[in-house]
Amino acid sequence: MKTRRSDRLVDMTRYLMEHPRTLVSLTKFANLYESAKSSISEDLAILKRTFSERGVGLLETIPGAAGGAKFTPFMSKEDAETFVASLVNEIKDETRVLPGGYVYLSDLLGQPWVLQKVGRLIATQYLNEPIDAVMTAATKGVPVAQAVADSLNVPFVIVRNDTKVTEGPTMSVNYVTGQSKRLEKMELSRRSLPMGSRVLIVDDFMKAGGTIRGMASLVKEFEGNVVGVAVVVEGEVEHRVIDKYTSLVHVKTNKEGGLLDVREGNFAKEVYTAGSVAGKIEKSL
């Protein structure tokens, strides 16, 4: 049964958003809706314009027999700054400060709308970057990793300090924590990450970066490459063991556990620089 354009637009939007960064052929849509490819092309042109104007994402149309359409989630700089400002406002609460200078984030990262925006913002930095998996450490970073992996349409893997028998054979590394300089061990199931993978490391909170450095070492054991590092919140420290990372929020606390300063992280510089893919797209909007 032939589908009306209004119905096609709704269903095509649903399908594309459920399959981000995946090339969908015009033939597939034409057969699904029993419509001519020329009509499907017109539909995609409407969606492409609307996605761009509404800041939903980018819709790339590729001509030719092997072509089709590919939707990539994208967050504009204006939307990102508005969202991060709301995070900063929520985190400006003295009762969130935990011993050791950490900040309580579980209630924020338990809200689906927050996670959806976190995932889309972090993914925006890697628009044209091939990524095979998102990695995080158990347990607080798991919701963040899942949100980012959803926007990138790739698997996410969880590194643990104490693996269970259900994990099967594992790969492990010893690492030194950034703050306390303790020697710790982290492991990852051998079946969870293919050898040679390109990995994006994410976490909810970072202080000196020892855990992230440990995960980077584990990626090397799998003969993989770390594409980037992103965290929701970074705490201010005198010395950090990693140099390159993206943060959404920056927090400064004192030794007594008081909250001194909460502000935007470095995401605007890292994600929307003039030379980056996201920066070029932002300029064209």
Side-chain angles (χ1 to χ4, degrees):
M1 179 178 173
K2 192 172 182 179
T3 310
R4 292 179 303 177
R5 167 157 288 170
S6 58
D7 295 336
R8 288 201 307 268
L9 290 173
V10 171
D11 199 57
M12 288 171 70
T13 299
R14 174 199 62 79
Y15 188 91
L16 290 167
M17 294 186 74
E18 288 181 354
H19 301 81
R21 295 169 68 113
T22 302
L23 183 64
V24 184
S25 68
L26 294 185
T27 301
K28 180 178 180 63
F29 281 141
N31 293 337
L32 183 62
Y33 306 120
E34 298 183 11
S35 301
K37 288 185 179 180
S38 57
S39 298
I40 297 299
S41 295
E42 292 170 1
D43 295 343
L44 290 172
I46 295 172
L47 293 179
K48 182 176 183 177
R49 184 186 70 249
T50 305
F51 286 176
S52 177
E53 291 175 351
R54 301 296 181 184
V56 175
L58 309 173
L59 184 60
E60 181 183 6
T61 51
I62 302 169
K70 181 171 70 173
F71 170 71
T72 304
F74 174 84
M75 183 177 285
S76 69
K77 186 177 181 181
E78 181 181 0
D79 287 347
E81 290 175 338
T82 300
F83 169 60
V84 171
S86 71
L87 285 183
V88 168
N89 188 57
E90 288 285 348
I91 295 171
K92 281 182 178 179
D93 181 350
E94 291 280 351
T95 63
R96 289 188 176 276
V97 181
L98 303 172
Y102 292 92
V103 178
Y104 182 77
L105 300 170
S106 296
D107 59 334
L108 291 176
L109 299 180
Q111 298 185 42
W113 75 269
V114 172
L115 286 172
Q116 190 270 340
K117 289 182 179 293
V118 166
R120 192 147 59 98
L121 175 48
I122 292 176
T124 294
Q125 186 173 357
Y126 303 96
L127 289 175
N128 287 348
E129 193 81 41
I131 295 174
D132 300 311
V134 176
M135 174 182 285
T136 194
T139 58
K140 299 294 186 181
V142 173
V144 178
Q146 184 172 9
V148 176
D150 185 60
S151 286
L152 294 172
N153 198 22
V154 298
F156 70 96
V157 299
I158 306 169
V159 174
R160 305 182 187 277
N161 292 114
D162 54 341
T163 56
K164 309 297 183 183
V165 65
T166 51
E167 294 288 323
T170 62
M171 187 88 77
S172 65
V173 295
N174 294 320
Y175 71 101
V176 178
T177 59
Q179 284 286 98
S180 60
K181 306 301 180 183
R182 294 196 313 269
L183 185 66
E184 300 280 1
K185 179 182 179 181
M186 60 172 56
E187 300 179 76
L188 181 65
S189 170
R190 289 180 179 271
R191 293 179 64 90
S192 64
L193 187 66
M195 299 295 286
S197 294
R198 294 174 57 83
V199 179
L200 171 62
I201 297 175
V202 303
D203 213 344
D204 65 322
F205 189 88
M206 176 181 69
K207 290 195 74 176
T211 301
I212 289 175
R213 184 172 63 177
M215 286 190 278
S217 297
L218 196 52
V219 171
K220 290 182 180 179
E221 291 297 316
F222 281 84
E223 299 178 5
N225 296 304
V226 176
V227 176
V229 172
V231 297
V232 179
V233 178
E234 62 163 316
E236 186 165 312
V237 292
E238 292 183 2
H239 174 68
R240 208 182 302 278
V241 297
I242 63 169
D243 299 319
K244 186 70 173 175
Y245 62 90
T246 298
S247 66
L248 306 190
V249 178
H250 179 98
V251 171
K252 182 179 181 181
T253 59
N254 58 26
K255 293 181 179 179
E256 290 73 37
L259 200 57
L260 299 180
D261 183 39
V262 182
R263 62 181 186 269
E264 283 187 357
N266 65 1
F267 74 92
K269 180 183 71 174
E270 295 296 329
V271 179
Y272 300 101
T273 54
S276 68
V277 176
K280 293 176 182 177
I281 293 171
E282 181 71 22
K283 189 176 181 179
S284 68
L285 294 178

